Amino acid sequence: MLESDNCRSGMTHRRTSRQESRGTNVARILSAAEKLCALYGSRKTNVCDIASYLKMSPANVYRFFSSKLAIYDRLVARVLEDNFPVIQLGSGTLTSAETLREFMLGLHGRALALMRDEDKIFELLTIADDERWPAFEAHAQRVKGIVAELVEQGVDAQEYRQQDSVRAAECLCASTAALWEPKAIKNFNLRHPLITPEVLISFSVAALRKGPS
């Protein structure tokens, strides 16, 4: 029995070690891709460049990612998670409307900061948005999910009229897309010089309170 237990323990240890090694290599590849992308842009950085930077063969990179697109889609997911963290709902003293306005303004502010400070990384997000990469689609769904929850809270608190929270979230996110979607945000001030982000968000949130059910 003891020998069998030792065997199982050894197998578990080796499996854990392999998983840790894989996780380390994946993280190294993503970090290299991010550094090279920040310098040269994703379109000018390929798997061979990443492999050369890490002093490994391209074949070794392909052990962990099936393609350049797979690398950059995972990188997009990491950038979005780092720069647009999920908020804790219902943990403060703000009303649902105030929380919703703060959330949308936060999305806008972080997108602007990324566009200003990391222009090539922001360009990668623009490509992911335009081409509907899975990582960006998941981010968009997270945003809509948070908005839907805030609408539900507002309905329960009688801040908003009774309505389909998912449909309301779709409409609000669409109406404010120029503030948080990378492919649209860079043109917002050029096309709408008289509208501030605060005005657009307040207008969109106010629509939750009025109109037919």
Side-chain angles (χ1 to χ4, degrees), residues 50-70:
I50 296 169
S52 177
Y53 181 87
L54 292 171
K55 296 181 172 55
M56 65 170 60
S57 69
N60 204 24
V61 174
Y62 283 120
R63 286 178 55 210
F64 304 99
F65 292 96
S66 60
S67 64
K68 172 183 169 178
L69 177 58

Side-chain angles (χ1 to χ4, degrees), residues 132-203:
R132 300 177 64 92
W133 291 7
F136 195 87
E137 289 296 293
H139 168 67
Q141 290 303 318
R142 278 196 300 272
V143 170
K144 292 171 187 175
I146 290 170
V147 172
E149 288 191 54
L150 289 171
V151 172
E152 283 187 15
Q153 288 183 5
V155 169
D156 291 342
Q158 298 185 339
E159 291 179 54
Y160 308 139
R161 59 181 169 80
Q162 287 290 333
Q163 58 198 291
D164 182 333
S165 61
V166 174
R167 182 174 180 273
E170 288 278 356
C171 290
L172 189 139
C173 288
S175 67
T176 59
L179 300 179
W180 62 277
E181 290 186 359
K183 65 183 179 182
I185 190 173
K186 62 178 66 175
N187 295 317
F188 176 73
N189 289 328
L190 296 175
R191 293 181 177 173
H192 312 286
L194 300 180
I195 303 175
T196 66
E198 291 82 0
V199 166
L200 178 57
I201 291 169
S202 293
F203 180 85

Side-chain angles (χ1 to χ4, degrees), residues 58-114:
N60 204 24
V61 174
Y62 283 120
R63 286 178 55 210
F64 304 99
F65 292 96
S66 60
S67 64
K68 172 183 169 178
L69 177 58
I71 295 173
Y72 279 111
D73 186 58
R74 183 80 72 87
L75 177 57
V76 164
R78 190 166 81 168
V79 170
L80 290 169
E81 288 168 5
D82 289 346
N83 288 278
F84 302 93
V86 175
I87 65 169
Q88 296 296 317
L89 298 174
S91 58
T93 58
L94 299 178
T95 66
S96 294
E98 289 168 340
T99 304
L100 183 50
R101 280 194 291 268
E102 290 298 313
F103 173 65
M104 299 308 297
L105 281 172
L107 283 179
H108 178 64
R110 287 189 288 270
L112 282 183
L114 201 59

Side-chain angles (χ1 to χ4, degrees), residues 9-22:
S9 176
M11 291 174 63
T12 301
H13 176 73
R14 286 193 295 273
R15 189 182 305 114
T16 301
S17 297
R18 284 197 300 271
Q19 290 171 345
E20 289 175 350
S21 177
R22 180 177 180 80

